[in-house]
Amino acid sequence: MAAAGGRPIFRRMRPLLLAFLSLILAAGARAQPAAFRVEPFASGLENPWGAAFLPDGRLLVTERPGRLRLVGRDGRVSPPLAGVPQVEAAGQGGLLDIALAPDFARTREVYLCQAALVPGGALTRLVRARLSRDARALQRVRPILDATPPQASGRNHYGCRIVFGRDGALFLSVGERYETKQRAQRLADLGGKVLRLSRDGTPWRGNPFAGRAGARAEIFTYGHRNPQGLAVNPWTGSLWEAEFGPLGGDEINLLRPGRNYGWPVVTHGRDYDGTAIGEGASRPDMEEPIHVWLPSVSPSGIAFYTGGAFPAWRGSLFVAALNPPGLVRLSTEGDRVTGEERLLQDGPRLRQVVQGPEGALYLLTDEAEGRILRLVPAR
Amino acid sequence: MAAAGGRPIFRRMRPLLLAFLSLILAAGARAQPAAFRVEPFASGLENPWGAAFLPDGRLLVTERPGRLRLVGRDGRVSPPLAGVPQVEAAGQGGLLDIALAPDFARTREVYLCQAALVPGGALTRLVRARLSRDARALQRVRPILDATPPQASGRNHYGCRIVFGRDGALFLSVGERYETKQRAQRLADLGGKVLRLSRDGTPWRGNPFAGRAGARAEIFTYGHRNPQGLAVNPWTGSLWEAEFGPLGGDEINLLRPGRNYGWPVVTHGRDYDGTAIGEGASRPDMEEPIHVWLPSVSPSGIAFYTGGAFPAWRGSLFVAALNPPGLVRLSTEGDRVTGEERLLQDGPRLRQVVQGPEGALYLLTDEAEGRILRLVPAR
């Protein structure tokens, strides 16, 4: 009762004092680098690509060659789960991302993204399945969206991240498949797009191109190259995306419905032979990235940090970088990037970063003898 | 020299005598039932569906749940081959037919037909692959045609036989998938059709509907229900087909390009509840079957007999029947059916019949503990 009351002067001042205290704490947190250490968590994974924590704290992890495993809280790696769909494991393709449905605890539904072979070539495919009660198998496995058209040659640029928005919409990123950059600009083509879908793979109601002749109703945004990072900003609800540029020009984009993110018309990068691409770096009718890397970091998975283990990192966006390898921390304010820090620059290529239930960061290494590393506070 | 010459009167008469002798022998062969016995050849196969003899006399056999095995000349069954594509093994679907390319000896190319899950449901899929040198694996497995559109509900009526014509064209039979009979009449839909394709799955040049708006160029014939038998008549070069009618009305059809075989507008059968289907049994603009079963025999695979082991059966078309089970022998003349004999009526359901290199008939039984039976001449 005393704590809830107090002397009148403090009672009246308390909101102001608390706000002031918050500011001081926040400023301190920003100024002071977090002390962390990296510890091995799991090993024996071949090119792990995507990961999702179950409510019980175990981690589902995909291996690009086409396996799905469960990693216990002690880091022990299970045998491959049964029922995993066949994948086109070649080039950059294979079994790629995994995400739990928002109502997983009730439905046990999971979503997988993969490279699939169909007549005409390979494409990015979204699959829905249920995790069996004993978590040893996928059941009722159903492909629910093929990012057509397939491409006959080349096995690159599948994109393939899955996230759910606050309203339950499923976002899927799809690469432009590398061989024909212009696919990213074609609205009748699902390559080089971020899609917004219902849980059954059909277009989300209210999508920007629904009803437009010659345009696919699944499209949320277009003009993407190879988007392998997707995350919903937990403070603003906005969808953030990371994509690989060519030689330089890796981007973080803030995705808004119907917008054109420019590839290959505008880019800050150059082609791999050093020549220019498109018309330059920007155009009024196309969206500017909110962050660009020149030279590249090759950003794959991204995750906003909301945990308590590293108070100084709350609000940061972490980026798993392949080349040069490392973990990039972007400090953010609202939907802006305000700073950048490079961590683990002497480490392995990183494919994905996910926050664990205890606030540690789990990093998937892109290696044939792949591992999961864990960032925990230094003691 | 004496044999080549002989007395003048016989020398002049010889062609006539030989022709007369042939007639007597042929008449004798027709009149006299062939004496045969059935022997077990192989076992341990789960619902075997399709089979193809390799040039070395070994037999490739599909199992509907999704395995492919090699059966030695001694009947020994190999472990499942590696690299077999994933199939939708439900209802009537799974791994279905297999055929060797005409140039298999050089290319080692094989074609598989299967039920596949794609976004939107299941469909009949044609797959091309190579048999590895050691015949233990499929390599370079590529789906080359999906009989779109997929169907969300139901896993029936895939059709799924593959044969090659004399000119190298690949024919694939596709069922109408049961739920929507009218698919068989829609030319924009590959259900309920026989397709004529090139080796890469594209339409065969000169197909009847090439260039017609709203029609698929893959179609060779249409108006089919569930065609599981296809064979080229080795004496005429014509394509013969067997399909399941509903309650009665199983058919043998002689397929000519662009023709409509009537399902579900005309049929000699009735629906499973006994009600009539369509407009009756025939219509001038639709093709009549060349043979009808009322009641049904449920005809699956078919094979013309060309071997030397049963001279009386040369020219017969054999039909593997599921229900009532048995082997049906149709005697033929040119492209006509001239008679019918029922064999093995007390035996198991038969899915396919193929002629072996020595002229025996190999019968695949449709059983969970499936077998291959061999018909050989009685001694």
Side-chain angles (χ1 to χ4, degrees), chain B residues 32 37 42 67 81 140 151 153 167 179 241 260 284 311 316 351 368 370:
Chain B
Q32 184 187 326
R37 61 190 168 83
R67 292 179 295 271
L81 273 68
R140 306 183 58 166
Q151 194 177 274
S153 65
D167 55 2
E179 310 289 326
E241 174 249 24
N260 182 352
S316 289
R351 178 64 70 187

Side-chain angles (χ1 to χ4, degrees), chain B residues 328-349:
Chain B
V328 180
R329 182 176 72 85
L330 298 178
S331 48
T332 72
E333 278 175 21
D335 282 326
R336 293 187 305 118
V337 173
T338 55
E340 174 170 350
E341 181 184 12
R342 306 276 180 108
L343 307 170
L344 309 182
Q345 292 183 274
D346 299 325
R349 291 161 55 91

Side-chain angles (χ1 to χ4, degrees), chain A residues 83-88 117-121 125-126 141-146 155, chain B residues 83-88 117-121 125-126 141-146 155:
Chain A
V84 170
Q86 196 167 45
V87 301
E88 168 67 351
L117 263 191
V118 299
R125 167 174 287 178
L126 180 66
V141 178
R142 293 282 180 277
I144 58 169
L145 180 119
D146 279 359
R155 295 294 184 260
Chain B
V84 170
Q86 196 167 46
V87 302
E88 168 67 350
L117 264 191
V118 299
R125 168 175 286 178
L126 179 66
V141 178
R142 293 283 180 277
I144 58 169
L145 179 119
D146 278 1
R155 296 292 184 261

Side-chain angles (χ1 to χ4, degrees), chain A residues 185-189 207-217 219:
Chain A
Q185 290 292 321
R186 295 179 192 147
L187 290 175
D189 182 323
N207 265 355
F209 302 109
R212 185 196 287 195
R216 296 288 300 262
I219 297 172

Side-chain angles (χ1 to χ4, degrees), chain A residues 263-277:
Chain A
W263 179 256
V265 183
V266 294
T267 172
H268 291 267
R270 303 185 76 79
D271 217 338
Y272 290 113
D273 60 5
T275 57
I277 296 173

Side-chain angles (χ1 to χ4, degrees), chain B residues 301-315:
Chain B
I302 61 176
F304 281 97
Y305 187 73
T306 62
F310 299 104
W313 287 352
R314 276 182 61 90

Side-chain angles (χ1 to χ4, degrees), chain A residues 110-147:
Chain A
V110 301
Y111 290 80
L112 296 157
C113 186
Q114 63 159 103
L117 263 191
V118 299
L123 46 67
T124 301
R125 167 174 287 178
L126 180 66
V127 171
R128 179 168 64 176
R130 286 203 191 163
L131 184 66
S132 68
R133 284 284 148 204
D134 63 7
R136 289 185 182 177
L138 293 183
Q139 300 170 331
R140 304 182 58 166
V141 178
R142 293 282 180 277
I144 58 169
L145 180 119
D146 279 359

